[in-house]
Amino acid sequence: MATLGLLSPEFPASSLSENLQAMSATGATSVQFDLVCAVGTTFPAELTDEEIAAIRDGFASHRLELSALSGTYNMIDPNPLKRQAGSKDLDRLISVAPRLGTKVVTLCTGSRDPQSMWRRHPDNDTPAAWTDLLSSVEQVIQTAEKYDIALGVETEVGNTVNTVRKTRQLLDTISSPHLKVIMDGANIFQKGELPNMRAKLDEAFDLLGADIVLAHAKDLDRDGEAGHVPAGLGKLDYPYYLHKLQECRYDGAIILHALKPEQALERLAFVRASSPAGYLGS
């Protein structure tokens, strides 16, 4: 059965314990965790044995699963020095992920926008951007293979991998069992595709369903944009999305995000109510 979880930076707190307690109190059991919530940065230069033990003990004491570790940097940043630095940061994060208790690290395929890795840019679809993406992924996939970590990439209309077909192309080109998919039904619709929602969801799961390592649950409120609103408060056909996750036998974490802490209880209840009978665990 799948489980429901949350994204840790959306629950700001003054300490790791407060952050974990706030998520645990909602009834969530899984977390996509960003180390910024424990040590103040996503990519620490070093994690001590004591810091690793504190994170593991914190998750255990709050009965939470560290389902994935956030490792996002701009993989096609127009500045090659920033891409190189990001790759080194990600290598370091991957190497510590097993000691933290997870086998999944999330990626961002990036944007040519120099200020935001998530913002649409006309150069995202150029051959040069694709070449840079392949180079960035190839650099870190060897580290993922060494530490037996799955790297999750996500279709995102503001990124260079902005369609499910490009996501499939990336997986096929890299051809490594350590490159997997983060499925987010609110991120896959190009402008004009919302009227064909179920057909587009069918396509996404047909192409990528066998490679899903993590699922996201948020919503979209406008055509041609990625989702930025909580699950159930937008246009996504949630019962069908969750049906497709069950149909492809995905049994990992479904991470709710794009929400405020005070919305978590209600949105978790919505996703539970929208799910097929017997699909979600406690």
Side-chain angles (χ1 to χ4, degrees):
M1 291 187 292
T3 61
L4 292 183
L6 297 165
L7 185 65
S8 67
E10 296 186 343
F11 288 77
S14 60
S15 68
L16 170 66
S17 180
E18 286 185 12
N19 178 254
L20 297 177
Q21 174 59 33
M23 291 184 288
S24 177
T26 69
T29 57
S30 305
V31 177
Q32 180 178 329
F33 192 66
D34 192 316
L35 284 172
V36 72
C37 299
V39 295
T41 178
T42 300
F43 297 108
E46 181 184 12
L47 275 182
T48 66
D49 291 342
E50 291 77 12
E51 287 169 330
I52 291 171
I55 293 169
R56 293 192 67 128
D57 290 348
F59 270 83
S61 64
H62 290 93
R63 297 183 180 180
L64 293 170
E65 177 188 5
L66 204 169
S67 298
L69 197 60
S70 294
T72 54
Y73 80 96
N74 192 345
M75 301 190 91
I76 63 162
D77 194 295
N79 185 331
L81 294 179
K82 290 185 177 180
R83 293 200 304 271
Q84 184 179 19
S87 177
K88 290 180 179 179
D89 286 342
L90 183 56
D91 273 339
R92 198 167 59 248
L93 189 73
I94 292 168
S95 71
V96 78
R99 296 175 64 198
L100 290 168
T102 189
K103 298 180 75 66
V104 180
V105 173
T106 67
L107 307 183
C108 171
T109 62
S111 171
R112 284 299 206 216
D113 188 294
Q115 269 73 54
S116 173
M117 72 178 98
W118 305 106
R119 189 180 299 150
R120 191 193 302 266
H121 191 280
D123 291 342
N124 286 356
D125 289 318
T126 62
W130 184 254
T131 297
D132 286 343
L133 175 62
L134 293 180
S135 177
S136 293
V137 175
E138 287 166 351
Q139 286 181 55
V140 296
I141 203 72
Q142 295 180 30
T143 308
E145 291 169 350
K146 177 180 178 180
Y147 290 96
D148 193 25
I149 291 295
L151 302 179
V153 296
E154 183 175 357
T155 309
E156 220 277 12
V157 295
N159 286 165
T160 185
V161 171
N162 51 19
T163 68
V164 294
R165 292 189 178 276
K166 286 184 76 173
T167 308
R168 183 72 259 163
Q169 182 183 357
L170 178 63
L171 267 62
D172 291 344
T173 302
I174 297 298
S175 190
S176 168
H178 293 270
L179 188 64
K180 295 293 184 180
V181 168
I182 303 168
M183 180 60 75
D184 189 329
N187 279 3
I188 67 173
F189 300 98
Q190 293 286 327
K191 190 172 181 61
E193 293 182 342
L194 283 183
N196 301 315
M197 181 173 291
R198 290 197 171 190
K200 295 304 297 183
L201 286 169
D202 287 343
E203 178 188 45
F205 281 90
D206 287 346
L207 290 173
L208 305 174
D211 292 294
I212 300 173
V213 73
L214 190 70
H216 281 174
K218 60 179 188 300
D219 220 320
L220 74 167
D221 60 354
R222 65 192 71 184
D223 186 36
E225 295 287 340
H228 301 291
V229 296
L233 299 183
K235 300 179 181 297
L236 187 64
D237 184 340
Y238 251 91
Y240 195 69
Y241 174 51
L242 295 165
H243 161 72
K244 296 301 292 187
L245 282 170
Q246 183 193 47
E247 187 177 59
C248 73
R249 299 184 179 181
Y250 175 71
D251 60 358
I254 302 173
I255 303 295
L256 279 72
H257 68 114
L259 50 72
K260 297 177 181 178
E262 59 268 25
Q263 295 174 304
L265 278 169
E266 183 181 58
R267 294 302 98 201
L268 286 163
F270 165 78
V271 175
R272 288 190 187 98
S274 301
S275 299
Y279 179 49
L280 292 175
S282 60

